[in-house]
Amino acid sequence: MIAVALTAYFALAVTLAAVLLLPQARTALINAALHIQRRVGRRASLRMTQARDGIRKSVKISQSTIGNTKKILIRRRLMIFITTGILAAPPLLAIALRGKLLFQYDGETRAPDEKIAALLHGEQLVPPPPLPPEVFATQEVEQVRPALRDASRDWSLLDADFRTRLLLVYKIMREQYGYEMALLEGYRSPDRQNRLAQLGGVTNAAAYQSYHQYGLAADNAFLRDGKLVISEKDPWAMRGYQLYGQTAEQVGLTWGGRWKLMDLGHVEYHKPGFVLRRAAALSVSTR
């Protein structure tokens, strides 16, 4: 290693001495450096020229492609419009035909039709007489609606407007369709609402998250031969639920049978000026 270092040092010293003391050596070294610089410069210039040419070619190709695409679109615009219309027509038609189903149940207040409105303003409706407690304590009822024995069926605890509409539903179901209706539960206390939510299978709403707490909701079923019929497996009951839902909507109520998680016996009244969230916040703050 020492010998290599000494040799390199000697060579460097001789070179420097030659450059400093011999004009010819200095000139030759300068010329060599200039030659190398010119060669590097020429190569760099050539590469820059090639790069510029490549960019120009890419721009020309892009412009040509865009121009050709525009020409094709202009020449075949009629065919493109026809094809687009054919492809778009089926989904647009489906949306148009199903528009009512898609947007009918968005929480807005449902207005009753004119005939029902006239009945609401012109007739005094009376709640049916209370049923014996054992009607709500059968094995069939317990399987479908557990914890129904201590439910409130007091019509006086319901909102007056909602009570009138619901009694009108009872009247129409009895006189037009031959179905006797029975109130399973109307007003529901916050404590009971929480207990049913924890029980599962009846409701997913906690206290003050249900219209039941404000007397604006009720669960109903049918009476046949003095017995309560709730089961959805009964064809007679299922037809009754459909008629009941249609009638409830006619008098301005919202039917739970339209929900994703269907509740066929449930109806509620989205009373004008009443907002469930606002009422819930007020109720929670005053507990």
Side-chain angles (χ1 to χ4, degrees):
M1 294 293 295
I2 296 176
V4 174
L6 290 174
T7 304
Y9 175 77
F10 178 76
L12 180 60
V14 169
T15 302
L16 290 174
V19 170
L20 295 174
L21 300 175
L22 299 175
Q24 293 180 350
R26 185 167 56 249
T27 302
L29 183 60
I30 293 172
N31 291 336
L34 292 174
H35 178 70
I36 293 173
Q37 182 183 8
R38 285 195 294 270
R39 291 186 60 183
V40 172
R42 285 196 298 269
R43 290 183 180 179
S45 177
L46 179 61
R47 290 178 181 176
M48 290 180 64
T49 302
Q50 292 175 346
R52 285 197 297 268
D53 292 341
I55 293 173
R56 291 195 188 98
K57 290 180 180 179
S58 299
V59 171
K60 289 181 180 179
I61 293 173
S62 300
Q63 292 175 345
S64 176
T65 302
I66 294 173
N68 292 336
T69 303
K70 288 182 179 178
K71 292 178 181 179
I72 293 174
L73 292 175
I74 293 172
R75 286 200 306 267
R76 302 185 180 180
R77 59 183 180 275
L78 180 60
M79 182 180 296
I80 292 173
F81 289 150
I82 294 174
T83 304
T84 303
I86 293 173
L87 294 175
L92 291 176
L93 181 61
I95 292 174
L97 293 176
R98 296 182 60 189
K100 293 183 179 180
L101 295 178
L102 290 174
F103 304 110
Q104 189 173 5
Y105 307 101
D106 55 0
E108 295 182 357
T109 302
R110 189 184 306 283
D113 59 32
E114 294 180 0
K115 294 181 180 179
I116 300 299
L119 288 173
L120 285 174
H121 289 295
E123 185 170 354
Q124 297 295 325
L125 300 174
V126 180
L131 296 171
E134 55 267 19
V135 173
F136 303 93
T138 64
Q139 183 177 2
E140 177 186 353
V141 173
E142 285 289 339
Q143 288 178 350
V144 180
R145 281 295 303 268
L148 194 60
R149 296 187 184 187
D150 58 344
S152 171
R153 287 175 278 275
D154 187 348
W155 286 84
S156 66
L157 297 179
L158 299 179
D159 175 86
D161 293 336
F162 173 56
R163 179 173 62 244
T164 301
R165 284 167 167 75
L166 185 58
L167 287 173
L168 186 55
V169 172
Y170 275 45
K171 174 183 174 64
I172 295 172
M173 288 295 294
R174 180 178 64 256
E175 296 182 356
Q176 294 189 16
Y177 305 118
Y179 281 86
E180 289 290 339
M181 303 290 299
L183 178 64
L184 300 180
E185 184 170 12
Y187 170 78
R188 185 182 294 160
S189 69
D191 291 338
R192 175 172 169 80
Q193 186 71 43
N194 280 332
R195 282 190 283 112
L196 292 178
Q198 294 172 359
L199 182 65
V202 178
T203 180
N204 293 323
Y208 300 109
Q209 296 177 352
S210 169
Y211 281 91
H212 280 285
Q213 267 81 85
Y214 309 98
L216 292 169
D219 298 323
N220 304 275
F222 308 107
L223 276 174
R224 183 173 60 191
D225 300 329
K227 294 183 179 181
L228 204 59
V229 182
I230 302 179
S231 175
E232 299 173 8
K233 297 179 181 179
D234 189 311
W236 176 82
M238 278 303 299
R239 169 158 176 75
Y241 280 126
Q242 293 296 326
L243 296 171
Y244 161 71
Q246 295 172 13
T247 305
E249 291 171 349
Q250 285 179 339
V251 303
L253 301 180
T254 296
W255 178 43
R258 302 291 188 189
W259 298 342
K260 290 181 179 180
L261 296 176
M262 291 190 299
D263 190 352
L264 296 177
H266 179 94
V267 290
E268 58 189 38
Y269 180 38
H270 295 176
K271 190 172 183 177
F274 178 87
V275 179
L276 181 60
R277 292 179 182 176
R278 184 188 306 163
L282 179 62
S283 301
V284 172
S285 64
T286 57
R287 285 185 65 182

